[in-house]
Amino acid sequence: MGDARAHRAAPIGAAKDDNRRLTLVTLGFSLFYAVCASFFYSTATAGRPGFSTQAFDNVLNPAMFLVAAAFALGVGRTPAARRILYPALGHLCLIGAVILLFAAAVGTDAPLSLAAAVLAGAGMSLTAPFYFGALAPWGHRSVALACGAMALAGIVLDMAWALAPPAALLALQLVALAGSAWCLARELRDPKQAAERTGARGAALAARDFLNVFLVPGLGTFALSIVYGIIDATAAGAGPAPEVAVTISKIGGIVAAVAFTLYFAAARRSSATLLFNVVFGVLATGILFLPFLPGDYAVALNIFAAAGWKLVMLSLFYLVVVTYAHDRLRLLAAMALAYALPRLGLFIGLNIAIVLSIGATADFVRTTAVAFFLLYLILMVVWLVNAHERRRALGEAREARERLDRYAQNQQDVRRARAAELAAEHGLTNRETDILLLLAQGRDAQFVSEALFLSRNTVKSYQKSIYAKLGVHSKQEIIELIAPSR
């Protein structure tokens, strides 16, 4: 009785341990993302004299992408024992960025803020993939809820930090980075257990590939990022102050995180691809027709675009994690690109708006939106056709394998019955019957020897005895004697 109770209790204890680990990863990720958000939204410098948010973003976003690309190329060549150095270096870069940005904010030194942007971009790209990798071992719904909670908590924390004076903000961010590093280190200290949990779901995901994730969702997110960069720049220029545009963007991020979390929490059969397509459709409609609405078009469009852009990015993160959950190296490389690619699109869109001096209601905004969403629709059609053909081919191959397996099993059953019948008629021993069945399959003496753990001389001796009892002279005659009737 005691053993039975212990056996029943073990899965409960394991489940509690998994829940604690998932909570710890989500907490660490939220603290990490709160620091990232403070750089995305220029929390420490927004509105201060001598600082340009656009100049800051023009350094931060390319730095993120370049380091992410280098990471994606190099992580596979790094020995497993040394990969922990990436997130360690990433946290150190972020600590340096936080300190430099504090010094820049206090002393109004713009070059220091740009140096902080470089360090921050590097730190984010080196660390974020490992947090997404730490989420991979859990179920799809858990991954989605953790991503939504991370985004929501990170933005809310950053909004609270924005109310603090510079010294308090510095202390809060350093504490958050210390907590983030501690949470991630606890999860990464036992890679074997994480690998075992990840491997359990690998076979079910093996059919998905790189193109399924990046052909439409990845390129679509990149295209939308360019459009959002244009819209964000024009809205910021039309607003009364930079802080207004930042607040609007944060509100859009909160709306996106809440919508994403509620969708996966409430939906019985949730699909990130469906969510992705719905968001793109709604955004396409809104971006094309909002310019014709009265009122403050720039503010309304920016709220609309900010929420959609962040919702699409969360969907992309989720798709990458669940697609590559079975392959840690590919997950780290793909996640680095998925995390940084939208920032490159934002950088391109921002500078298009700056170079062309696009107005908040300019026709170019609508033209750009139309061009990118037409590209998205074309890619969607290609992807859907390929996905349909791939699913049909996989289904047909699966059915063919099942039919062949059933046929082979039936043939084997017939051979076994025929061998037993011949053994009874001609007085074959059990060992001779086993060898007879293998010979009837066309197996040679070496195979029989290894399969039955006998020496080759012993197999040959049995083979001669079988030939004599059955009145045959070759293995081919045995095959024909036992072969199932057509």
Side-chain angles (χ1 to χ4, degrees):
M1 180 69 70
D3 291 341
R5 283 197 300 267
H7 180 72
R8 287 195 300 269
I12 297 176
K16 288 182 177 179
D17 180 62
D18 276 352
N19 289 335
R20 283 194 296 268
R21 295 184 71 155
L22 179 59
T23 301
L24 193 66
V25 171
T26 305
L27 173 62
F29 205 176
S30 299
L31 294 173
F32 167 78
Y33 186 72
V35 177
C36 295
S38 71
F39 286 96
F40 293 150
Y41 299 118
S42 304
T43 301
T45 59
R48 288 184 169 84
F51 291 97
S52 169
T53 301
Q54 291 179 344
F56 187 85
D57 288 344
N58 273 341
V59 174
L60 173 67
N61 293 327
M64 280 186 65
F65 178 75
L66 291 174
V67 174
F71 173 86
L73 293 173
V75 67
R77 299 181 177 89
T78 306
R82 296 184 181 179
R83 287 180 200 138
I84 190 67
L85 296 177
Y86 285 114
L89 179 60
H91 277 88
L92 289 176
C93 287
L94 284 169
I95 290 172
V98 167
I99 294 173
L100 283 178
L101 201 59
F102 168 75
V106 172
T108 63
D109 189 346
L112 280 181
S113 69
L114 299 183
V118 173
L119 286 178
M124 295 175 196
S125 295
L126 293 174
T127 304
F130 288 88
Y131 263 118
F132 286 107
L135 291 176
W138 281 276
H140 293 185
R141 185 182 294 266
S142 296
V143 171
L145 295 179
C147 287
M150 167 272 297
L152 178 61
I155 297 174
V156 170
L157 279 175
D158 177 65
M159 293 182 75
W161 292 352
L163 303 176
L169 176 60
L170 172 66
L172 288 170
Q173 289 180 332
L174 291 178
V175 170
L177 286 173
S180 167
W182 180 79
C183 292
L184 187 57
R186 281 182 63 87
E187 175 61 22
L188 296 181
R189 71 179 181 179
D190 188 9
K192 180 179 179 181
Q193 183 175 354
E196 289 173 353
R197 293 201 308 271
T198 303
R201 297 187 294 115
L205 298 170
R208 300 186 182 182
D209 55 23
F210 181 85
L211 292 181
N212 272 353
V213 176
F214 284 100
L215 179 61
V216 172
L219 292 180
T221 302
F222 177 71
L224 179 59
S225 300
I226 296 176
V227 175
Y228 177 59
I230 296 172
I231 294 170
D232 191 48
T234 55
E243 295 89 336
V244 175
V246 169
T247 302
I248 289 172
S249 185
K250 289 181 180 180
I251 292 173
I254 291 175
V255 171
V258 170
F260 185 85
T261 304
L262 290 179
Y263 171 73
F264 279 95
R268 179 173 297 180
R269 296 185 63 184
S270 53
S271 168
T273 304
L274 175 62
L275 181 63
F276 202 99
N277 295 334
V278 169
V279 170
F280 261 93
V282 173
L283 281 174
T285 303
I287 289 176
L288 293 179
F289 291 102
L290 271 177
F292 303 101
L293 299 180
D296 195 344
Y297 158 67
V299 174
L301 181 57
N302 200 23
I303 295 175
F304 193 71
W309 181 62
K310 290 175 175 63
L311 190 56
V312 165
M313 280 201 300
L314 285 174
S315 301
L316 176 62
F317 297 160
Y318 168 82
L319 281 172
V320 173
V321 172
V322 300
T323 299
Y324 296 121
H326 63 291
D327 189 332
R328 185 170 181 79
L329 273 179
R330 291 178 70 195
L331 171 58
L332 292 174
M335 201 64 243
L337 295 176
Y339 191 71
L341 192 61
R343 309 304 303 188
L344 177 64
L346 199 65
F347 166 78
I348 294 173
L350 174 65
N351 284 279
I352 287 176
I354 293 173
V355 170
L356 300 182
S357 301
I358 300 172
T361 58
D363 290 337
F364 187 82
V365 176
R366 294 198 301 274
T367 303
T368 303
V370 171
F372 279 111
F373 280 108
L374 283 176
L375 173 63
Y376 165 76
L377 291 175
I378 293 171
L379 292 173
M380 177 57 68
V381 171
V382 173
W383 179 70
L384 288 175
V385 171
N386 289 339
H388 174 73
E389 293 299 325
R390 188 181 299 110
R391 284 194 299 270
R392 187 177 70 176
L394 288 173
E396 291 175 351
R398 189 182 303 110
E399 291 177 1
R401 284 196 301 269
E402 290 173 355
R403 287 195 297 268
L404 288 174
D405 289 343
R406 287 195 299 269
Y407 177 81
Q409 185 61 45
N410 290 337
Q411 297 293 295
Q412 182 66 3
D413 291 341
V414 171
R415 291 192 190 94
R416 190 175 290 108
R418 180 59 176 159
E421 180 182 341
L422 290 174
E425 291 178 1
H426 298 277
L428 271 63
T429 66
N430 291 337
R431 179 60 75 186
E432 288 174 339
T433 304
D434 293 337
I435 295 175
L436 173 64
L437 186 60
L438 292 174
L439 293 175
Q441 297 174 13
R443 306 298 187 181
D444 57 17
Q446 180 65 31
F447 182 92
V448 175
S449 172
E450 294 173 357
L452 301 180
F453 302 99
L454 300 172
S455 68
R456 293 194 64 177
N457 290 333
T458 302
V459 171
K460 289 180 178 179
S461 177
Y462 276 122
Q463 191 172 354
K464 290 179 180 179
S465 176
I466 293 169
Y467 286 0
K469 290 181 179 181
L470 296 180
V472 298
H473 302 89
S474 68
K475 184 171 62 177
Q476 182 60 38
E477 291 185 49
I478 288 181
I479 293 174
E480 294 172 357
L481 185 63
I482 297 185
S485 58
R486 299 293 180 183

